[in-house]
């Protein structure tokens, strides 16, 4: 069962509780399902009980107790535990890891894409600063994964540390020109006068018609880089600007170029390259990946499944909070799990490839797909050899 399928299962449980008169609420359109947080257990957790507590007029834990038996009886769910103020922690039956890998194989680069911003325009206002340009350029792609369309507009800010116009970062467009899907450069509003973007027009034929609200404008002002990052090259420079949170000052140094474990960018790209190497080496042994469950005692296996399952939620949060650094940090988590897991994939010595090896190979290949897709969204290359 994939996270999307489990979300639908949670909503069906809510609907059954409403139909049986146990809850008096409007069934929401979606249920958030993520890997369990600190103190949680099982394969996935949902905060649906906390979401419904106020509309139901009941404590969240009581709502969770009502939903628990409906979830437990759902196909593919082995057990449900309640933790904290009312989180439902779900342990799936057999096939959870295999279903996740099949979902990634089916959707490829589109895995993790959703529709929470479908049809929405996301206006982004940025200063003429190289870090703001790169963040906005990345957000255009991340917002698109959730069905939205980001439009970038420049504002003038008198800041001595702003990068001069013409600074280039390969996939980042120079300051003073349009970023991908941005409006023309002639529409530069002042900070004090927000632009009227797609403002609803009055319809004289329908004077009482309710208009759609104006898009909420987001002003991006990440802490500028202390110096020009372009000497690092496009990939390392973009990582240096995107990996820190917006309020943190980027570290511009040659450390981003080092091919060693201490460099997070190297670990992410190396992990992707290792997945490609595993596929090549397995082919030489006559072995191909076949989705299957990976036992929990396999080093890194559970962590890798959890990281892959959490990728869609990370993409959603990165889009909603305009925070590409969340995606960058999650790629590091995924890479570290893969690097701990990779040693179990291929047979050792005279050992013959088995179903277990094919299942582990399929999981590693799925990780490679997610790492490549995430790096692409950040505008960073994912080489097969490193």
């Amino acid at each position: 069962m994939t996270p999307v399928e489990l979300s639908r299962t949670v909503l069906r449980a809510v609907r059954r509780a409403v139909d049986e008169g146990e809850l008096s609420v409007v069934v929401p359109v979606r249920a958030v399902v993520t890997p369990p947080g600190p103190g949680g257990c099982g394969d996935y957790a949902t905060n649906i009980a906390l979401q419904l507590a106020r509309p139901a007029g009941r404590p969240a834990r009581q709502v969770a107790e009502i939903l628990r038996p409906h979830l437990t009886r759902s196909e593919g769910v082995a057990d449900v535990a309640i933790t904290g103020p009312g989180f439902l922690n779900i342990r799936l039956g057999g096939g959870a890891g295999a279903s996740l890998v099949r979902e990634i194989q089916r959707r490829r680069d589109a895995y993790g894409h959703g529709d929470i911003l479908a049809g929405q325009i996301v206006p982004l206002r940025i200063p003429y600063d190289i870090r703001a340009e790169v963040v906005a350029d990345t957000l255009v792609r991340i917002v698109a994964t959730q069905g939205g369309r980001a439009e970038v507009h420049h504002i003038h800010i008198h800041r001595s540390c702003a990068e001069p116009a013409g600074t280039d970062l390969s996939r980042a467009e120079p300051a003073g020109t349009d970023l991908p899907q941005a409006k023309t450069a002639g529409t530069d509003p002042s900070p004090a006068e927000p632009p009227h973007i797609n403002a609803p027009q009055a319809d004289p034929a329908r004077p009482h018609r309710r208009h759609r609200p104006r898009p909420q404008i987001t002003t991006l002002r990440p802490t500028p880089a202390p110096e020009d990052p372009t000497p690092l090259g496009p990939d390392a420079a973009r990582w240096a600007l995107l990996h820190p949170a917006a309020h943190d000052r980027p570290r511009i140094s040659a450390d981003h170029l080092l091919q060693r474990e201490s460099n997070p960018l190297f670990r992410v790209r190396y992990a992707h390259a290792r997945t490609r190497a595993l596929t090549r080496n397995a082919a030489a042994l006559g072995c191909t990946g076949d989705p299957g469950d990976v036992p929990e005692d396999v080093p890194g296996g559970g962590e890798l499944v959890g990281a892959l399952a959490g990728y869609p939620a990370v993409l959603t949060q990165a889009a909603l909070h305009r925070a590409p650094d969340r995606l960058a940090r999650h790629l590091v988590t995924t890479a570290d799990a893969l690097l701990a897991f990779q040693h179990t994939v291929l047979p050792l010595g005279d050992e013959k490839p088995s179903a277990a090896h094919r299942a582990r190979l399929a999981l590693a290949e799925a990780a490679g797909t997610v790492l490549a897709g995430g790096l692409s969204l950040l505008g960073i290359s994912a080489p097969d050899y490193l």
Side-chain angles (χ1 to χ4, degrees):
M1 185 182 298
T2 66
V4 173
E5 294 169 339
L6 182 57
S7 177
R8 297 191 189 115
T9 298
V10 172
L11 291 179
R12 284 195 294 269
V14 175
R15 191 171 293 109
R16 285 195 295 268
V18 170
D19 292 343
E20 294 179 14
E22 298 174 292
L23 286 176
S24 179
V25 295
V26 176
V27 179
V29 295
R30 63 189 297 266
V32 177
V33 174
T34 61
C41 59
D43 299 302
Y44 296 99
T46 177
N47 65 347
I48 191 69
L50 285 75
Q51 180 182 341
L52 297 177
R54 178 174 294 180
R58 297 168 179 262
R61 195 169 183 91
Q62 190 178 110
V63 175
E65 292 286 359
I66 293 172
L67 295 177
R68 180 181 179 182
H70 294 289
L71 268 174
T72 304
R73 291 194 295 268
S74 300
E75 183 178 357
V77 174
D79 188 33
V80 179
I82 301 173
T83 60
F87 291 101
L88 287 160
N89 293 253
I90 304 167
R91 182 170 63 84
L92 301 179
S99 296
L100 176 64
V101 171
R102 291 191 189 96
E103 175 75 2
I104 296 173
Q105 288 179 339
R106 181 178 67 85
R107 302 197 64 187
R108 301 297 300 171
D109 290 343
Y111 172 68
H113 293 201
D115 58 1
I116 193 170
L117 295 176
Q120 296 187 33
I121 296 176
V122 179
L124 303 175
R125 300 197 316 169
I126 64 171
Y128 285 96
D129 169 74
I130 190 170
R131 188 183 185 195
E133 298 272 3
V134 172
V135 169
D137 173 65
T138 304
L139 283 174
V140 167
R141 288 187 290 274
I142 293 178
V143 167
T145 69
Q146 304 305 308
R149 179 164 63 90
E151 293 184 345
V152 182
H153 308 261
H154 288 84
I155 56 177
H156 292 282
I157 295 179
H158 298 290
R159 183 181 291 170
S160 59
C161 57
E163 292 294 332
T167 305
D168 189 14
L169 253 187
S170 183
R171 283 170 288 276
E173 295 295 327
T177 63
D178 295 333
L179 293 177
Q181 302 186 34
K183 284 187 176 289
T184 56
T187 57
D188 293 341
S190 67
E193 297 179 357
H196 297 290
I197 305 169
N198 289 342
Q201 300 299 317
D203 185 352
R206 299 182 180 179
H208 300 294
R209 180 180 177 184
R210 297 184 65 182
H211 298 296
R212 294 175 59 185
R214 294 177 181 175
Q216 183 176 1
I217 299 172
T218 300
T219 300
L220 300 175
R221 295 181 183 175
T223 302
E227 57 187 282
D228 181 9
T230 54
L232 297 177
D235 289 328
R238 289 182 71 91
W239 182 268
L241 299 176
L242 293 171
H243 181 254
H247 58 271
D248 291 331
R249 183 172 295 277
R251 181 174 52 84
I252 308 301
S253 73
D255 291 346
H256 295 293
L257 301 174
L258 298 177
Q259 296 194 14
R260 60 180 60 170
E261 189 177 352
S262 59
N263 179 3
L265 174 59
F266 171 72
R267 296 207 305 275
V268 173
R269 300 175 84 206
Y270 177 67
H272 169 264
R274 284 299 303 150
T275 66
R276 299 298 186 253
L278 289 171
T279 298
R280 295 192 297 269
N281 295 338
L285 298 174
C287 178
T288 57
D290 183 23
D293 285 332
V294 175
E296 294 182 359
D297 58 350
V298 174
E303 291 81 0
L304 185 55
V305 170
L308 298 182
Y311 180 73
V314 170
L315 272 187
T316 299
Q317 294 302 310
L320 293 178
H321 295 280
R322 322 293 190 243
D325 56 288
R326 297 191 181 204
L327 171 58
R329 289 195 296 272
H330 189 75
L331 292 181
V332 176
T333 299
T334 304
D336 289 344
L338 182 282
L339 293 175
F341 172 76
Q342 62 166 331
H343 307 290
T344 70
V345 174
L346 298 180
L348 299 176
D350 297 331
E351 188 180 8
K352 299 296 181 182
S354 64
H357 294 113
R358 289 190 289 272
R360 295 171 193 173
L361 177 61
L363 178 58
E365 291 173 335
T369 298
V370 169
L371 290 170
L375 285 171
S376 177
L377 290 174
L378 297 178
I380 298 173
S381 64
D384 289 350
Y385 297 87
L386 196 63

